[in-house]
Amino acid sequence: MRSPTASCLRGPALYSRRPSSAPLRLALQHRFKSSVDDPSTSQVPRDGTRARATPSHHSAQELEPSLGNSNLLKRTPEEALATKGLVFADGHGLKGPTGKGRETRQMNLHQAVRDAMRTALTSNPKSFIFGEDVKAHGVFRCTQGLAEEFGQKRVFNTPLTEQGIAGFGIGLASVGSTAIAEIQFGDYIFPAFDQLVNEAAKQHYASGGSYPLPGGSFTVRAPVMSVGHGGLYHSQSPEGFFLGAAGLKVAVVSTPIQAKGLLLAAIRDPTPTIIFEPKVLYRAAVEQVPVDDYTLPLGPTDEVRPGTDLTVVSYGTPLYTTLRAIELLSNPPPALVQFLPEKLRPPNPAPSIQLIDLRTINPLPIGEITEAVRKTGRLVIVHEAGKSGSVGNNLAGEVGRRAFDYLEAPIGLAAGWDVPVPLAYEKFYQPDVIRVFDKLVETLSY
Amino acid sequence: MIRRARVPRSFFASLSQRNLITGPPPDLPAVHHTTSTGSPLPTPTPLPHFTPHPSLNRLMLHSMDDPRTDRPRDPRQLVYVDESQADRAARAGRMSSPLRRGAHESWWNAEQGWFNAVAKTIPTYRVLDEEGRPVKGAKLPQLTKEEALKIYKVMALIPMVDNVLYQSQRQGRISFYMQCSGEEAAVVGSAAAMRSTDEVFGQYREQAALLYRGMSLSRMMGQCFGNIDDDSSKGRMMPVHYTAPDLGFHTITSPLATQLPQAAGAAYALKTDDARQGDCVICYFGDGAASEGDFHAALNMNAVLGGPLVWFCRNNGFAISTPVIDQYAGDGIASRGPAYGIDTIRVDGNDALAVLAATREARRRAVQGKKGVLVEAMTYRVGHHSTSDDSSAYRPIEEVKEWTVVDNPISRFRAWLVTQGWWSEEEDKAMAAANKKEVLKIFNKSEKLPKPKLGEMFNDVWAVPRDGALPEVIIEQRAELGHLLKKYGEAWEPWRKELKRFVEQGEDVMDCDSGASR
Ligand SMILES: Cc1ncc(C[n+]2csc(CCOP(=O)(O)OP(=O)(O)O)c2C)c(N)n1
Ligand SMILES: [Mg+2]
């Protein structure tokens, strides 16, 4: 669905649609320019001098407000209950079993995760939650109070071994139990890599579809991405390593509503699933979350914002960054106007930008993104992980192949650099608001 | 169903004639698992006309006895199999019998000899009691006044450093910190037993060992601030992730237990390097890290392949919030040493002298036998796990207080120094005041220093020789950032602000048109 204003805001010259009858000529024109992300196309003065820049009248805080203020978050029960794809487990829909509607409560992301796990423990006596330090409350407080409420047989500390935790979970699921494992940090998931990629992902295939036994399910949760000062081992985005693991679903949540709905979907999905939770959002992201047992579908993407000139795809923390960049582009502060080509500057209408939350990264929802890009003709992907072996490159390759005739600009990728995440330099490692802004402008003005 | 091959009756008859430890029975059918012709072997195995060999009989009656000495064993006594790497190799040649294949020296036993520990309890070695008095029968390690004071001074300095850095994190001046509080004797005592040419692989709570080996405070604080003094990782790593190759101190990384197999590799290199005979590796790790697969892999590799190595476990009771009761069910970490055939000792980790003596002996055995030796130091993590942790959620504050008062490693060692006549209260007060001044001075200086050049973000990713070409991806991405900085570095306030913190304020990266500037 498009917002009513979106289409009338389009600048006719810049965004003229390619006539579908003559794709070939245009395709040829673009053939040699279509790189995923060619830095030489960035809008830099050719003489190499620094742009004469007007210092900003806005403070850094105003330009990059905290994530909690983002419009991604749903602040009213009505908005929360209108979330697309929401399915209540009791089957009574939005009216609820009493007919009086559904309740929501304000939660941050770790509370929403806890709420999902509490729901799972309540609804299924054969479910278990375990991992390092989960008994006390988990290092991000996702399991606060669960051991007291459900007993230490069902919510327990494990010895400190990620390969052990993953294998243990596979075993629990094998005989029909529901295993919900926590890997304390995504950065420490690698000891479990063998169990996850060689065992969990392949178990169903290798056993001719017979394992796990009915009812068995294995879900791994792990915090990922940066908090701004984590460095090499507390800021990584390891999702790219799992792209080749056919049989292992991987999703990244970006809001409390998703955290609960996708986690519950994963817990009830017989396919082993990793849910990555961006750790900076645990406390920063607060919204109204439905109190009852509900799921959101694993697989489909979520359109955060409709648009017709450019499709932007992201997931997790950078979704917030990207939305902020789009807002700046729609309503540029004085300091940024100078970087906009004439057509993107006020009083010309702001570009209409579609923002898609990818949510599931394995398997990649290639069809949906391709469809979107066929409509807008332009694609920018944003993630924190480095480019090599990334979601962005996989997506760009697949969508580029399928939507080649429709592309009006090279597919842009704003991502971390291909270096370990360096502590003191994190601000310049991340694709932050201005880097995303630049990539959007570059792709729109191509 | 697998049916057992019929064993000729003559075999059982021959058993009574045979010596206790022999090769395989000569007339045992070659194929064990056939879909057999005859009736299955009766189970359990009654042996008709069986007269036990006298020696066998004796062993069955006294299965706890040492089969080689015939002496009944004291159940409290620990077992020690005196074996070097060379003995191990020799053993390979004696593996003709099923008893010796894959075992030390076993014996046939008709009783089911179940066991789950190698000794009833593993004792904890100590030299000083909680008040710093030598315990009965203790042999004090040889120690000059100078050596003793060096140990004490580091033990007394580290809480000062920890305190200042810990508090500074609370105030948001550094990003993270981990204290060594409560474990000063374990870390410094062991560090003092090693030599300056030895290699150290740490976990992260061993900053005191680094200080003992001569790390300067400004280097240490430089690392914690990630400023231009940070020669450890040039601002790339979190605080306490030190590197000091000049002090033989290998890089601290956060993933747990990864240092253990690496230490085994380093020890093997020392063993095979003529120029490094007499050198040794020490590898520190926690009670939690010992649950990782890497721990088991490492001890086994070291035991099989050899190499002088002191495995030093700081058993401080916790892995973040996880108490040891949730971590292992066996007798601590020490009980695992014998499983790998590794000489092992458990020591009172709050007794600096005991740690020193035990680690010295461990080092001696390691170097002499070119093998691994395990030391488990029993101590207590007095501080929170890190600045991200609040331990009051999982342990009573009284417990912590008790440890600091009743069993304080620093005051214990100090009390002994005083009774030796080597240290006095006045000297202590003067030192504490001087330490405080020095630590704060360096802290304040360090805080004002800028971060390294922004371009350091892209350096050292690939180990490129001086004149070698950088990978394209680095050149390209560095240039991309350079272009962006030129464009927005002044206009975009969040960048303008952040760039000021770096030496050259990012100009080094903006110089990107020449391509690969390093
Ligand atoms: C592979 C891995 N898993 C988890 C963590 C998170 N973590 C950091 S320290 C720690 C506890 C370690 O406890 P222990 O080994 O006993 O050392 P201590 O902190 O007590 O000195 C955990 C779980 C990690 N750093 N690496
Ligand atoms: Mg510990």
Side-chain angles (χ1 to χ4, degrees):
Chain A
M1 198 193 73
R2 285 176 188 168
S3 76
T5 50
S7 52
C8 61
L9 286 177
R10 290 174 57 210
L14 183 61
Y15 307 116
S16 62
R17 304 308 305 265
R18 176 185 308 159
S20 51
S21 53
L24 189 63
R25 184 181 50 83
L26 286 150
L28 283 174
Q29 180 190 325
H30 289 277
R31 161 154 263 153
F32 301 106
K33 290 181 181 169
S34 254
S35 70
V36 169
D37 193 36
D38 181 356
S40 66
T41 60
S42 61
Q43 305 294 302
V44 177
R46 290 284 166 223
D47 59 2
T49 56
R50 292 181 71 173
R52 274 184 307 279
T54 337
S56 169
H57 302 303
H58 295 87
S59 72
Q61 176 63 29
E62 284 168 315
L63 294 168
E64 289 187 326
S66 73
L67 302 173
N69 296 327
S70 174
N71 290 328
L72 273 172
L73 299 164
K74 298 180 171 156
R75 298 198 169 72
T76 66
E78 294 73 32
E79 278 182 281
L81 290 169
T83 302
K84 241 184 303 161
L86 206 91
V87 176
F88 285 95
D90 56 22
H92 286 290
L94 284 174
K95 289 216 172 95
T98 59
K100 289 187 191 148
R102 299 278 180 181
E103 211 187 311
T104 65
R105 199 183 307 140
Q106 180 171 304
M107 296 183 200
N108 63 22
L109 200 140
H110 74 66
Q111 290 163 337
V113 169
R114 179 191 180 280
D115 197 49
M117 292 198 283
R118 195 182 168 277
T119 305
L121 288 167
T122 309
S123 61
N124 177 359
K126 279 166 78 176
S127 52
F128 300 90
I129 292 174
F130 53 95
E132 293 155 17
D133 300 295
V134 307
K135 189 161 90 187
H137 49 54
V139 296
F140 290 104
R141 305 203 166 257
C142 294
T143 50
Q144 179 106 50
L146 294 179
E148 284 89 34
E149 189 176 346
F150 295 93
Q152 292 179 22
K153 254 192 198 144
R154 296 182 63 202
V155 182
F156 52 91
N157 281 345
T158 62
L160 208 171
T161 161
E162 291 76 16
Q163 67 271 53
I165 292 167
F168 192 92
I170 297 170
L172 270 171
S174 291
V175 292
S177 288
T178 292
I180 308 165
E182 174 174 304
I183 298 292
Q184 199 164 80
F185 283 86
D187 307 67
Y188 308 132
I189 204 165
F190 299 109
F193 202 66
D194 191 34
Q195 287 287 353
L196 292 172
V197 172
N198 260 340
E199 298 296 332
K202 295 170 184 154
Q203 187 186 39
H204 194 61
Y205 192 75
S207 64
S210 45
Y211 281 107
L213 295 183
S217 123
F218 175 41
T219 306
V220 177
R221 302 174 31 249
V224 292
M225 301 190 187
S226 72
V227 289
H229 48 82
L232 271 65
Y233 303 111
H234 292 84
S235 282
Q236 290 180 83
S237 301
E239 67 273 8
F241 288 99
F242 294 95
L243 288 177
L248 182 65
K249 283 190 191 172
V250 182
V252 186
V253 301
S254 55
T255 63
I257 293 178
Q258 275 186 27
K260 179 172 174 183
L262 291 177
L263 179 54
L264 277 170
I267 288 169
R268 286 158 189 171
D269 192 322
T271 302
T273 305
I274 301 180
I275 300 281
F276 285 129
E277 298 159 358
K279 62 178 93 67
V280 76
L281 300 178
Y282 277 131
R283 271 193 268 176
V286 182
E287 68 181 346
Q288 290 291 327
V289 178
V291 170
D292 291 332
D293 185 343
Y294 72 90
T295 56
L296 287 171
L298 281 164
T301 63
D302 182 38
E303 188 183 50
V304 174
R305 184 185 200 277
T308 51
D309 299 328
L310 165 68
T311 299
V312 188
V313 173
S314 188
Y315 55 91
T317 315
L319 197 68
Y320 291 73
T321 318
T322 305
L323 185 59
R324 179 64 190 148
I326 293 172
E327 285 164 2
L328 286 179
L329 192 53
S330 311
N331 192 5
L336 290 184
V337 171
Q338 60 183 314
F339 301 107
L340 297 176
E342 199 57 42
K343 282 160 199 155
L344 292 176
R345 273 187 207 181
N348 284 323
S352 160
I353 299 174
Q354 177 190 36
L355 177 58
I356 293 178
D357 183 356
L358 200 54
R359 296 213 299 212
T360 311
I361 60 162
N362 197 29
L364 272 174
I366 294 160
E368 278 185 66
I369 305 298
T370 305
E371 270 320 299
V373 173
R374 282 186 177 154
K375 290 186 193 132
T376 59
R378 290 180 157 86
L379 174 62
V380 168
I381 305 160
V382 186
H383 54 61
E384 284 192 13
K387 294 182 180 185
S388 299
S390 70
V391 167
N393 273 343
N394 264 27
L395 202 58
E398 291 302 328
V399 173
R401 260 195 280 285
R402 289 165 169 80
F404 182 70
D405 287 348
Y406 298 80
L407 282 174
E408 292 176 40
I411 296 172
L413 174 54
W417 310 118
D418 286 314
V419 308
V421 188
L423 182 89
Y425 314 84
E426 261 180 57
K427 179 78 185 138
F428 296 103
Y429 172 90
Q430 303 302 343
D432 65 349
V433 172
I434 195 68
R435 271 179 63 195
V436 177
F437 173 89
D438 186 75
K439 192 57 77 182
L440 300 182
V441 174
E442 178 192 319
T443 307
L444 280 168
S445 48
Y446 183 83
Chain B
M1 196 183 92
I2 297 168
R3 297 165 104 204
R4 307 283 293 273
R6 179 210 274 270
V7 178
R9 190 166 261 221
S10 59
F11 164 55
F12 298 110
S14 73
L15 253 188
S16 60
Q17 317 299 320
R18 285 147 57 93
N19 283 332
L20 187 59
I21 295 171
T22 62
D27 47 0
L28 194 71
V31 183
H32 289 250
H33 302 288
T34 55
T35 45
S36 166
T37 49
S39 53
L41 192 69
T43 46
T45 316
L47 303 178
H49 323 297
F50 179 58
T51 330
H53 187 274
S55 64
L56 182 65
N57 199 16
R58 195 187 64 236
L59 281 166
M60 284 166 70
L61 291 173
H62 308 284
S63 55
M64 280 297 284
D65 294 359
D66 186 328
R68 291 168 304 168
T69 59
D70 289 354
R71 260 188 293 116
R73 216 175 77 194
D74 175 354
R76 286 167 312 170
Q77 197 187 314
L78 295 172
V79 184
Y80 187 78
V81 180
D82 194 3
E83 202 186 48
S84 67
Q85 277 282 309
D87 295 334
R88 237 182 67 77
R91 178 145 57 88
R94 290 188 273 113
M95 284 195 177
S96 56
S97 127
L99 275 176
R100 282 173 169 169
R101 199 172 292 141
H104 265 284
E105 198 78 32
S106 192
W107 66 95
W108 302 121
N109 190 357
E111 277 173 27
Q112 296 194 9
W114 292 93
F115 63 98
N116 63 10
V118 285
K120 201 152 174 224
T121 42
I122 301 172
T124 305
Y125 166 70
R126 67 155 47 167
V127 173
L128 301 176
D129 67 12
E130 281 85 350
E131 263 106 67
R133 291 175 303 231
V135 297
K136 202 166 132 249
K139 229 175 89 199
L140 296 182
Q142 276 198 348
L143 197 64
T144 64
K145 177 182 172 187
E146 208 185 10
E147 290 168 327
L149 287 183
K150 182 177 176 194
I151 293 174
Y152 177 66
K153 283 177 180 170
V154 175
M155 282 175 70
L157 173 62
I158 198 73
M160 202 78 81
V161 177
D162 277 1
N163 223 4
V164 166
L165 289 170
Y166 185 84
Q167 296 306 334
S168 80
Q169 193 283 339
R170 298 270 105 167
Q171 297 156 7
R173 294 154 85 174
I174 60 172
S175 58
F176 175 80
Y177 198 69
M178 292 177 116
Q179 296 167 282
C180 155
S181 185
E183 300 173 47
E184 295 89 353
V187 176
V188 183
S190 56
M194 304 306 287
R195 302 204 181 144
S196 61
T197 51
D198 290 344
E199 305 283 336
V200 185
F201 288 76
Q203 178 157 309
Y204 49 60
R205 218 183 284 286
E206 297 88 10
Q207 55 267 52
L210 195 49
L211 274 181
Y212 187 90
R213 293 176 77 83
M215 182 82 154
S216 74
L217 283 178
S218 55
R219 255 175 107 184
M220 252 174 132
M221 298 219 179
Q223 198 284 328
C224 292
F225 279 108
N227 66 27
I228 45 167
D229 271 356
D230 175 17
D231 58 353
S232 280
S233 76
K234 307 180 184 170
R236 295 167 190 150
M237 292 275 257
M238 267 181 143
V240 312
H241 290 58
Y242 305 104
T243 301
D246 50 323
L247 304 173
F249 199 89
H250 292 254
T251 306
I252 302 292
T253 64
S254 317
L256 285 168
T258 45
Q259 79 276 21
L260 281 95
Q262 297 167 9
Y268 188 78
L270 295 194
K271 169 180 137 170
T272 50
D273 185 346
D274 286 343
R276 301 219 44 189
Q277 295 307 302
D279 286 352
C280 191
V281 176
I282 184 166
C283 178
Y284 292 96
F285 57 95
D287 47 281
S291 293
E292 289 281 4
D294 272 357
F295 164 88
H296 300 275
L299 264 72
N300 195 33
M301 286 192 81
N302 175 234
V304 171
L305 297 164
L309 210 170
V310 176
W311 298 107
F312 194 95
C313 177
R314 296 180 290 99
N315 189 335
N316 61 8
F318 292 92
I320 311 188
S321 74
T322 303
V324 286
I325 186 85
D326 287 353
Q327 197 64 251
Y328 51 73
D331 187 5
I333 307 302
S335 67
R336 299 176 196 175
Y340 293 110
I342 287 180
D343 290 12
T344 301
I345 193 167
R346 173 175 288 158
V347 59
D348 179 349
N350 285 8
D351 177 353
L353 279 188
V355 173
L356 175 74
T359 314
R360 270 188 189 166
E361 174 60 12
R363 190 188 181 286
R364 190 194 65 75
R365 286 167 182 246
V367 169
Q368 194 190 44
K370 301 189 199 318
K371 63 180 185 178
V373 178
L374 173 62
V375 179
E376 182 185 28
M378 309 308 285
T379 178
Y380 186 86
R381 195 197 76 212
V382 168
H384 300 305
H385 169 72
S386 71
T387 46
S388 315
D389 177 45
D390 175 7
S391 64
S392 64
Y394 53 84
R395 62 178 188 185
I397 198 84
E398 295 75 41
E399 179 183 312
V400 181
K401 284 210 184 101
E402 193 172 317
W403 276 87
T404 53
V405 178
V406 178
D407 192 2
N408 183 319
I410 300 176
S411 45
R412 203 201 285 200
F413 190 53
R414 184 179 56 196
W416 179 75
L417 289 176
V418 171
T419 57
Q420 293 289 103
W422 289 351
W423 195 246
S424 68
E425 199 179 332
E426 299 77 62
E427 284 170 298
D428 207 58
K429 280 193 176 139
M431 182 187 71
N435 276 350
K436 193 169 179 191
K437 221 173 118 196
E438 176 76 356
V439 168
L440 285 173
K441 191 184 93 193
I442 294 173
F443 176 85
N444 288 326
K445 193 173 140 255
S446 196
E447 189 173 27
K448 293 194 187 81
L449 292 175
K451 294 181 181 186
K453 286 190 202 174
L454 184 56
E456 288 294 359
M457 167 156 63
F458 295 99
N459 291 347
D460 304 327
V461 179
W462 305 86
V464 178
R466 268 260 155 254
D467 48 352
L470 276 171
E472 204 174 276
V473 58
I474 296 287
I475 298 172
E476 202 181 279
Q477 295 187 359
R478 192 184 197 278
E480 187 180 343
L481 179 61
H483 286 296
L484 288 166
L485 290 175
K486 269 195 218 176
K487 195 171 167 186
Y488 298 105
E490 267 172 43
W492 180 246
E493 183 59 19
W495 277 14
R496 203 178 65 87
K497 223 172 104 198
E498 183 72 9
L499 280 174
K500 287 196 186 130
R501 307 171 68 173
F502 293 87
V503 154
E504 295 188 19
Q505 309 199 1
E507 296 277 350
D508 56 311
V509 177
M510 292 182 231
D511 175 27
C512 50
D513 294 319
S514 52
S517 52
R518 291 181 70 185

